[in-house]
Amino acid sequence: KSVNCDSKFVIDLNEFNLDAVLKDDYGPYRPYGNKKLLFDIKIRDKKYSFKNLTKVPKKSWPEDSHVYEIERIYFKCKANILFTRKSLRVADLKDLKSFQKLFLGYVWEEKINEWDKSIKIKPHGNCTKSVNEFIPLEKKTLIGIKNESVKAGSSSIKYFDMISNKTSDSLSQIPRSINQLYMHKYLELKAKKKNVKTHDEYSDALINRKKSDFVRHIDFGYNRLECVLFTEQQYNDLIRFCTSYRNFSIVNIDTTFNLGQYYVTYLTYRNISLKIQATETHPVFIGPILIHLHRDKEAYLSFAMQLQKFDILNKNRLNDITCFITDDDAAIRSAFKTVFKNSEFMLCCNHLRKDFLKIMNQFKVPEESKNEIIFKMFGSQNNRTESLIGSKDKQDFEEKSNS
């Protein structure tokens, strides 16, 4: 594996793997010439006859006839282009097990100085940071690294065991570093998590949900689908930020417009442990999500009940959520009120404002009057005190409403 002078070898490829033979300790090679030849060789009365062929015969071969394939490939060593590796593979196509040899030669260019015969192995061609020598590994070694990487136990112990158990001193049989074990473990886990995609969307969903705990519940029937999604962190955040009696975040429930054939309903809350520097406000985070086909009480009830079911099996604290805000969708309000009986429910002023604008557009209210009515009802975002929704009590609300 460390040949540095003119040398020739004959290797039985029924005993040694071709890929392993061509992996030596001088890094990668660049092929620069290859050729394939076919010969039909017959043996009659202890005499040989040779015939060049252009293609492999399709008919069955006579007993005394053998077709040999000769494949010649030349390689230049990338570490020193004056060093050449020449391979000549000869195989009996009639019976590969009877004859399959490799004639391998290492040759320096003629008439060069001894000091030009140094081989300094280069790092990998795609590497921009490391200066470590790159030596391609044998296929058997790579398979061993992949198999060991996914087994339980210490990666460092596996790495040193592989070095200790090598069958020769060749560097192509030794893992380059412990990072190879980490990398192949990551790639193996990534491949396992890759989603299956067939023509049946429901089948895909059921198969792929096993690869992640994000999908908590799937229920589907004729023309129905409810899929509940949330992480452990989203659940814990709802308890952490939304169940306190003093400093808490209101939970907002909103449904998107129709995204093709389905709706997405999601909970949002403010992370009161963080502040946005520019506005000094708490950022909004997305909580549990429902994907569904119908905007009805059955779908929203399924969402709320799955949250409660998970909560009962864990911390049993979601019943203490202080307040929910919804739009004026009766199905959402009714479903969540049925499950979260200890919580307060309020209407979202932004949704109400949009609804009032739609109604005034239907009645063709003039633009100036429209803006004046909206301001009296909702005020500005920074000051709600003088608006209808900023009323202090019922009497104040009736007075502003009459005006």
Side-chain angles (χ1 to χ4, degrees), residues 247-285:
N247 188 24
F248 63 88
S249 166
I250 291 173
V251 180
N252 187 66
I253 309 172
D254 198 11
T255 300
T256 62
F257 291 108
N258 195 344
L259 301 176
Q261 296 182 343
Y262 61 91
Y263 296 94
V264 178
T265 297
Y266 53 94
L267 308 184
T268 56
Y269 55 89
R270 290 191 180 272
N271 187 326
I272 57 179
S273 66
L274 302 174
K275 271 192 177 180
I276 301 171
Q277 242 179 356
T279 59
E280 286 294 309
T281 57
H282 302 297
V284 175
F285 278 42

Side-chain angles (χ1 to χ4, degrees), residues 62-97:
E63 287 185 12
D64 61 346
S65 177
H66 290 264
V67 175
Y68 286 85
E69 181 184 70
I70 300 175
E71 183 180 22
R72 186 193 69 194
I73 306 176
Y74 291 172
F75 304 87
K76 287 284 187 187
C77 181
K78 287 189 176 182
N80 189 331
I81 60 170
L82 301 175
F83 194 51
T84 304
R85 182 176 70 192
K86 299 182 178 183
S87 72
L88 195 72
R89 187 181 68 86
V90 183
D92 184 350
L93 297 184
K94 189 176 179 182
D95 185 6
L96 289 175
K97 290 182 179 179

Side-chain angles (χ1 to χ4, degrees), residues 36 53 72 157 190 194 236 251 256 258 260 294 326 336 351 354 364 390 396:
K36 275 188 179 181
L53 300 175
R72 186 193 69 194
I157 293 174
K190 186 179 178 182
K194 191 174 181 181
N236 289 330
V251 180
T256 62
N258 195 344
H294 300 283
T326 68
F336 273 79
H351 283 97
K354 289 178 181 177
K364 298 180 181 180
D396 187 23

Side-chain angles (χ1 to χ4, degrees), residues 48-67:
Y48 291 84
S49 64
F50 296 85
K51 181 183 177 183
N52 283 79
L53 300 175
T54 55
K55 59 182 180 179
V56 179
K58 290 184 179 179
K59 296 179 181 179
S60 60
W61 299 323
E63 287 185 12
D64 61 346
S65 177
H66 290 264
V67 175

Side-chain angles (χ1 to χ4, degrees), residues 1 16-23 137-140:
K1 293 286 186 168
F16 298 94
N17 180 273
L18 176 63
D19 173 75
V21 170
L22 295 178
K23 294 285 193 309
L137 298 183
E138 289 185 12
K139 189 174 182 180
K140 185 179 178 181

